[in-house]
Amino acid sequence: MTISRLAAIFFMAGEYLIYFLDRTDHHSLHTPFAFSLYRDLRINLDQHRKGNPTLEMLRLRLGKDKSVLKIKDEGAGSKFALGSNRSVSSICKNSCSSLSYNLLYQFFLTETPALTVVELGTSLGINTGYLADRTIGTVYTFEADPSLLEIAGKNLCSFSNVHFIPGNIQDTLPVFLKGRSRIDFIQIDANHTHAATLQYCKWVWPYLHEKSVVVVGDIHWSPEMKNVWLEIKRFPGVSSTMDFFECGVLFFRSGIQVEHHILYYPGY
């Protein structure tokens, strides 16, 4: 293991210790917005612990798939995989969100009109499926790697409301946005560099509205990602944020005081 990889792992370990010490639960939430949202999030998790049976069968199958893909990384790469050749099973294990976080993203999606949904980073498509399952309109999912996109396309062939957008997000996202009037939900889980993540946010900000939700993945992944999270929290219009360690969630509701929470969320 290289020194840089060790340093990255130690950074995340230190970040988790800080998160563990700072995180709170519903007992510390005093504003009605945060309290009711967090309560409903935990109820939703309890009610759907087994997840979507079809998507969980897919996760099980992918977790056993030893096929090797040549991955084209456009961003910061992976802490847990060396080189560009990775098995499907390792991608499923190390790069796909767990069921509990799939349910978290799905829950926050349902807090929006769910008409125009954007996912930056398709990977194998498991999370895309969870988003599509609750999307009234269309999920537009962006992926730069052709081999991942091919697998995700096969995995999600039964979801008619998923639209795949291939290519480098730096090129494809601006083109996509020209044809939009607003975005209800966006999950940013690609590239993982400060410059790219900040640029994605700046591009989509004019398309957000009061009931939009923005999710930024891996906010404690590196010093770069931690800093970009701190910057985004200060963007205009942000009324509330929730830090769940694996991701940060931003809200834009009017009439509530600006508040930032670090919250416990069980992962499994």
Side-chain angles (χ1 to χ4, degrees), residues 120-137:
L120 303 184
T122 311
S123 190
L124 298 172
I126 297 173
N127 188 70
T128 315
Y130 272 95
L131 296 180
D133 198 37
R134 292 291 185 271
T135 295
I136 297 170

Side-chain angles (χ1 to χ4, degrees), residues 151-205:
I151 291 178
K154 293 176 181 177
N155 291 339
L156 300 175
C157 60
S158 61
F159 289 91
S160 60
N161 62 341
V162 174
H163 181 75
F164 296 96
I165 300 179
N168 191 321
I169 297 172
Q170 293 288 125
D171 302 322
T172 56
L173 183 57
V175 174
F176 167 80
L177 290 172
K178 288 181 180 179
R180 306 296 126 198
S181 59
R182 56 191 240 163
I183 292 174
D184 298 318
F185 177 92
I186 179 167
Q187 182 176 347
I188 301 173
D189 193 16
N191 199 296
H192 298 115
T193 65
H194 180 279
T197 306
L198 193 61
Q199 185 63 72
Y200 299 156
C201 289
K202 288 180 177 179
W203 278 336
V204 304
W205 227 251

Side-chain angles (χ1 to χ4, degrees), residues 32-246:
F33 173 77
F35 179 85
S36 61
L37 197 62
Y38 181 69
R39 177 200 60 201
D40 292 348
L41 170 66
R42 296 296 304 274
I43 291 172
N44 179 75
L45 177 64
D46 290 339
Q47 291 176 341
H48 299 92
R49 283 188 175 275
K50 293 184 179 180
N52 179 302
T54 301
L55 292 171
E56 290 312 303
M57 285 296 293
L58 172 63
R59 191 195 306 273
L60 187 63
R61 177 171 62 80
L62 293 172
K64 297 178 179 178
D65 189 340
K66 301 302 180 183
S67 303
V68 175
L69 305 178
K70 188 173 181 64
I71 299 298
K72 175 185 176 184
D73 266 326
E74 298 288 356
S78 170
K79 279 189 174 67
F80 304 103
L82 287 173
S84 58
N85 294 325
R86 302 172 200 167
S87 67
V88 172
S89 60
S90 69
I91 295 170
C92 183
K93 177 183 177 182
N94 297 319
S95 300
C96 294
S97 299
S98 64
L99 169 58
S100 59
Y101 279 92
N102 292 144
L103 293 173
L104 180 145
Y105 306 140
Q106 187 186 70
F107 169 79
F108 285 122
L109 164 68
T110 63
E111 293 296 307
T112 77
L115 294 171
T116 302
V117 175
V118 176
E119 179 190 41
L120 303 184
T122 311
S123 190
L124 298 172
I126 297 173
N127 188 70
T128 315
Y130 272 95
L131 296 180
D133 198 37
R134 292 291 185 271
T135 295
I136 297 170
T138 303
V139 177
Y140 300 91
T141 183
F142 293 67
E143 177 57 59
D145 184 77
S147 54
L148 287 176
L149 206 57
E150 181 180 359
I151 291 178
K154 293 176 181 177
N155 291 339
L156 300 175
C157 60
S158 61
F159 289 91
S160 60
N161 62 341
V162 174
H163 181 75
F164 296 96
I165 300 179
N168 191 321
I169 297 172
Q170 293 288 125
D171 302 322
T172 56
L173 183 57
V175 174
F176 167 80
L177 290 172
K178 288 181 180 179
R180 306 296 126 198
S181 59
R182 56 191 240 163
I183 292 174
D184 298 318
F185 177 92
I186 179 167
Q187 182 176 347
I188 301 173
D189 193 16
N191 199 296
H192 298 115
T193 65
H194 180 279
T197 306
L198 193 61
Q199 185 63 72
Y200 299 156
C201 289
K202 288 180 177 179
W203 278 336
V204 304
W205 227 251
Y207 300 88
L208 304 176
H209 55 86
E210 182 183 358
K211 291 190 176 180
S212 293
V213 172
V214 175
V215 175
V216 182
D218 292 320
I219 58 173
H220 297 283
W221 198 82
S222 66
E224 276 192 284
M225 289 302 295
K226 180 178 181 179
N227 287 335
V228 80
W229 171 243
L230 295 175
E231 290 182 52
I232 296 168
K233 286 167 63 176
R234 297 192 295 268
F235 269 31
V238 175
S239 62
S240 181
T241 69
M242 294 182 175
D243 177 346
F244 296 99
F245 188 75
E246 184 168 313

